[in-house]
Amino acid sequence: MSDFFYLIPISVLLGAAGLAIFLWTLRDGQYDDLDGASERILYEEDAPRPDPALKAGSSAPRPPDGNAP
């Protein structure tokens, strides 16, 4: 029975901490755009990815690693 005197305040403190963290994330804007991240992955980027062979100044494409002559 004396264990309840320790467990009840601990559970109340953990609940209050969880509520405080939830309210902090709510105020911080974590839940503003729920569908944006799931839809953003479907769209392609406007700019193409740069080719590393062209950055090195080589005009000929490099062979893949492991298949070099």
Side-chain angles (χ1 to χ4, degrees):
M1 186 68 182
S2 65
D3 294 336
F4 289 121
F5 293 117
Y6 296 110
L7 293 178
I8 291 175
I10 290 173
S11 64
V12 169
L13 288 175
L14 286 175
L19 180 64
I21 290 172
F22 172 72
L23 292 175
W24 177 46
T25 59
L26 190 64
R27 188 181 63 224
D28 200 33
Q30 292 290 321
Y31 308 111
D32 286 346
D33 186 19
L34 295 177
D35 295 328
S38 63
E39 293 176 0
R40 205 172 307 132
I41 196 169
L42 299 174
Y43 301 121
E44 292 185 24
E45 295 179 6
D46 292 337
R49 295 166 66 187
D51 189 9
L54 295 177
K55 279 188 174 180
S58 171
S59 60
R62 295 186 332 199
D65 294 336
N67 294 334

